[in-house]
Amino acid sequence: QVQLQESGPGLVKPSETLSLTCTVSGGSFSGYYWSWIRQPPGKGLEYIGHIYSTGSTNYNPSLKGRFTISVDTSKNQFSLRLSSVTAADTAVYYCAGGRFLEWLPFDPWGQGTLVTVSS
Amino acid sequence: EIVLTQSPATLSLSPGDRATLSCGASQSVTSTYLAWYQQKPGLAPRLLVYDASSRATGIPDRFSGSGSGTDFTLTISRLEPEDFAVYYCQQYGNSPFTFGGGTKVDIK
């Protein structure tokens, strides 16, 4: 059974860069596409982007290119970088995977990690 | 970008009631790639339905999805106490993937 675990700092200063990593265990890393989704406190879900094990990416264009998703297949990990953070980037960040060949939606999900942007 | 609009925003019902949640898309969803998720406070979303009408593994049969094109529905036939939560629809057929704003099902 595939399991995901996010890791990274819980507090980031404005204008700095946020880096998060998702570690995948228990299944076929190459059989999934891997995604980041965020949820501001008390609000809905926002899709950030996804990456395939080949390194090919898709991003949400409404987020204006501040996000970068990368993959390290040797470690079964994928990562998110967000530059020039502001208070509006405060959110719970989830990693999730979708079965690639069958083209299924996000299942499983990580437990989420709260990132607060504050000086 | 496909915009998904969920209605109602809040549904106040009692245990044992039938719940009907709607998700409307701004354009046709490719190949009925429409999913429903349940989210409880402090937890990650859980996949309920994929491909508009297929239940995910382990999901009780009181949950059912239907629809195609631009109109989709999630029905909970008889609400159990653990079903009171927020429900999101999501399309994964067109890039960027998008989520609806959510419907909160709370206890009347």
Side-chain angles (χ1 to χ4, degrees):
Chain A
Q1 178 173 339
V2 177
Q3 294 184 308
L4 283 65
Q5 178 66 59
E6 303 92 349
S7 58
L11 181 64
V12 182
K13 290 182 169 55
S15 79
E16 293 188 344
T17 296
L18 163 67
S19 294
L20 297 174
T21 296
C22 184
T23 301
V24 180
S25 60
S28 168
F29 190 81
S30 62
Y32 287 76
Y33 63 90
W34 302 107
S35 185
W36 289 96
I37 301 111
R38 69 179 181 177
Q39 185 171 38
K43 296 189 177 181
L45 300 166
E46 181 174 44
Y47 162 80
I48 296 171
H50 67 267
I51 190 167
Y52 302 91
S53 59
T54 57
S56 176
T57 52
N58 276 276
Y59 294 103
N60 185 343
S62 69
L63 296 176
K64 299 184 174 64
R66 293 191 302 126
F67 289 91
T68 301
I69 300 175
S70 59
V71 67
D72 185 341
T73 55
S74 68
K75 296 181 179 180
N76 280 6
Q77 293 178 335
F78 62 105
S79 298
L80 176 71
R81 283 174 56 88
L82 171 59
S83 59
S84 304
V85 299
T86 70
D89 296 311
T90 293
V92 175
Y93 286 76
Y94 294 101
C95 59
R99 288 288 300 172
F100 171 57
L101 289 179
E102 301 93 326
W103 199 245
L104 296 178
F106 303 132
D107 183 35
W109 293 63
Q111 64 185 24
T113 186
L114 174 62
V115 176
T116 301
V117 178
S118 175
S119 55
Chain B
E1 170 176 326
I2 295 180
V3 176
L4 299 179
T5 302
Q6 292 189 240
S7 61
T10 304
L11 199 51
S12 297
L13 296 169
S14 300
D17 286 348
R18 182 184 185 88
T20 302
L21 288 66
S22 296
C23 177
S26 61
Q27 57 187 280
S28 185
V29 174
T30 300
S31 301
T32 63
Y33 286 143
L34 192 286
W36 290 93
Y37 300 87
Q38 176 193 67
Q39 187 178 33
K40 297 180 179 179
L43 297 180
R46 177 175 70 145
L47 178 66
L48 299 175
V49 169
Y50 64 94
D51 294 353
S53 60
S54 297
R55 269 188 302 276
T57 302
I59 301 303
D61 61 7
R62 63 180 181 273
F63 292 92
S64 63
S66 63
S68 64
T70 60
D71 295 302
F72 298 88
T73 300
L74 176 71
T75 301
I76 311 171
S77 59
R78 285 179 59 85
L79 282 164
E80 297 288 340
E82 62 267 27
D83 299 336
F84 292 92
V86 179
Y87 293 83
Y88 294 95
C89 59
Q90 180 229 346
Q91 68 81 21
Y92 51 102
N94 291 70
S95 185
F97 300 166
T98 48
F99 289 93
T103 291
K104 183 178 182 179
V105 179
D106 65 15
I107 299 177
K108 189 173 183 180

